[in-house]
Amino acid sequence: VAAQRGGPSAEARATWDALAAQDPPALDPARIALARAANLDALGETQAAYEALAPAEDPAAPFDARAHGLAMRGVLADRLAQRDEARRLFRALLAHLESGPQYGVFEPLRTLATDGLAESSARAKLPMSWWEVGVSR
C-alpha cells in the first residue's frame, strides 16, 4: 500500500483503518490487523496496536497470519505490562505452530514464544512480515 511505503504515518493509519472497516473486507481481517498493528506500534500507540490484532487470534485466520498475530500480540502485551496475557499468547502461539506445517520460516516465532514464556519480551522487535499481510511493500 502506497501510504505505508513512507513508513508509519497518520495517512497509513487512515488507510489501514478504512480497510479494516470494510464490509465485506477487501483483504483477510487477520492480515489487515497485522499491518494496522505494525503502523500503530510505530506511531507509539501500543494499546491500540494490541487491540487491532484481535482478528489475528481467530482460529479461522490464515495459519501464517495467525502465527504472526499471536507473536505480535504477545510482545505488545508484555510492553503493556500484561505478563499473564503475554504468556497466554505465547502458549497459544506454540500450540498453533505445533498444529500446522513444520516450515522453518516459523522458527523465529517459536524462539520468540519460548523466550517470551521465560521472560518479558517487551524489548523485542515486533515480528512483522509484509508477506503475511498479503500486499507488497
Side-chain angles (χ1 to χ4, degrees):
V1 172
Q4 189 68 41
R5 285 200 178 105
S9 67
E11 180 186 3
R13 179 184 183 165
T15 299
W16 291 117
D17 287 351
L19 283 168
Q22 286 182 335
D23 187 21
L27 295 173
D28 182 88
R31 296 189 187 285
I32 294 168
L34 299 177
R36 284 184 75 210
N39 190 68
L40 289 164
D41 179 62
L43 292 172
E45 298 185 42
T46 306
Q47 182 67 44
Y50 173 83
E51 292 168 5
L53 284 166
E57 273 201 68
D58 184 343
F63 186 87
D64 55 340
R66 184 164 191 251
H68 277 84
L70 289 167
M72 290 171 72
R73 209 161 200 222
V75 169
L76 292 167
D78 265 339
R79 290 183 188 169
L80 293 166
Q82 297 176 6
R83 190 71 185 115
D84 289 342
E85 175 67 356
R87 286 188 187 108
R88 180 192 72 78
L89 290 158
F90 289 134
R91 283 192 297 274
L93 172 56
L94 289 171
H96 180 64
L97 293 176
E98 287 303 316
S99 74
Q102 298 300 310
Y103 297 133
V105 70
F106 296 117
E107 283 310 306
L109 298 182
R110 187 181 315 278
T111 299
L112 174 66
T114 301
D115 293 348
L117 287 173
E119 62 185 27
S120 175
S121 63
R123 294 181 180 256
K125 180 181 177 195
L126 277 189
M128 174 57 183
S129 169
W130 285 99
W131 179 262
E132 311 319 330
V133 174
V135 296
S136 62
R137 180 133 197 260

